[in-house]
Amino acid sequence: MKLNKYLDVNPEVAAAIAEGKPVVALESTIISHGMPYPQNVETALNVERIIRENGAVPATIAIIGGRLKAGLTPEEIEYFGKKGQAIHKASRRDLALLCARGEDGATTVTTTMMIAHMAGISIFATGGIGGVHRGAETTMDISADLEELSQTPVMVICAGAKSILDLGLTLEYLETKGVPVIGYGTDELPAFYTRQSGFGVDYRVDTPAELAAAFKASKDLELGGGMLVTNPIPEEYAMPLDTINAAIDQAIGECNEKGIHGKETTPFLLARVAEITGGDSLASNIRLVYNNAKLAAQTAVAFCKL
Ligand code: PSU
Ligand code: MN
């Protein structure tokens, strides 16, 4: 991949990378498509602050005017938040066209991993990843995020996978693709809004230093792929299981009725679940992102010491 020609690393991020200081990548689709305005902007700015408070430099990643950006200004974050779903949701297939046309794009987990790797950033914090959707055996709706995890050496720290996805099939896919799924302080895959899913993870890890060591070994071995760390939402912010499951089932039913498919599916489900729960799921979502940002910064600090 020769993204370099199109890559702009902001000065603070570039200096940190050059000096071997900890940097944490962040995605922009969570801002434009994952949450409503103005909570999206507020969350994105708080996440950057939490990363700084924990000793690392934040690099929010996006595509602006056909340039791949590692590190945004607060004004640029506001722009992505305000424009929301009017911004192109950019996956791997979109990069060439957006760069050639000089357009903007919000980076998903996939494209954030790609651009982070090109910039030399190893650790990336987000809320949730895409996965194998329920009904994928007929729709073939499997997020490009899973393929990217198999081929790009970036550690992705998330809160597990939501039950808008088929969690069992998502784990099977990751196994096939050689992606280790790590539980942070847990043996069970967290399900984003809840700490439990009924599915086990491949490994339990209890400290940022152990996460850093695992990722260092993956790099030393030149395995080429990423690592998925699933960090459970703090107990006090978790949603009641019945409430969230009912909201997700209702949202999926509406999604099917309306014939929504492709890249619109995940943003539609997230927005509907937030509406149905009267904003409760959004509050949980924001809290789990903060929790992941903290762990990512601590892990980046530990990784720099190796
Ligand atoms: N899950 C969330 N919030 C998000 C996303 C997923 O809880 O914002 C976004 C991420 O950018 C992820 C993308 O990479 O959705 C996956 O989209 P798709 O399912 O279309 O691959
Ligand atoms: Mn999809």
Side-chain angles (χ1 to χ4, degrees), residues 9 76 87 108 157 172 216 218 222 254 264 284 304:
V9 182
E76 288 167 335
I87 301 243
T108 61
I157 299 184
E172 291 292 349
K216 175 77 164 47
S218 175
E222 297 184 10
E254 290 176 16
E264 272 81 45
S284 292
C304 282

Side-chain angles (χ1 to χ4, degrees), residues 133 141-143 262-263 266:
H133 278 264
D141 190 350
I142 299 171
S143 176
K263 65 196 285 195
T266 299

Side-chain angles (χ1 to χ4, degrees), residues 46-71:
N46 281 335
V47 163
E48 291 212 341
R49 181 178 48 76
I50 290 165
I51 286 171
R52 289 184 196 284
E53 283 168 2
N54 285 276
V57 172
T60 300
I61 288 178
I63 304 166
I64 301 180
R67 304 292 303 171
L68 311 174
K69 301 279 184 189

Side-chain angles (χ1 to χ4, degrees), residues 225-264:
M227 228 171 229
L228 186 64
V229 177
T230 62
N231 185 28
I233 184 171
E235 189 78 62
E236 62 268 40
Y237 304 120
M239 300 273 300
L241 193 62
D242 293 347
T243 310
I244 194 65
N245 283 346
I248 286 172
D249 288 343
Q250 185 185 331
I252 289 178
E254 290 176 16
C255 186
N256 293 338
E257 265 166 40
K258 288 182 195 279
I260 290 167
H261 62 274
K263 65 196 285 195
E264 272 81 45

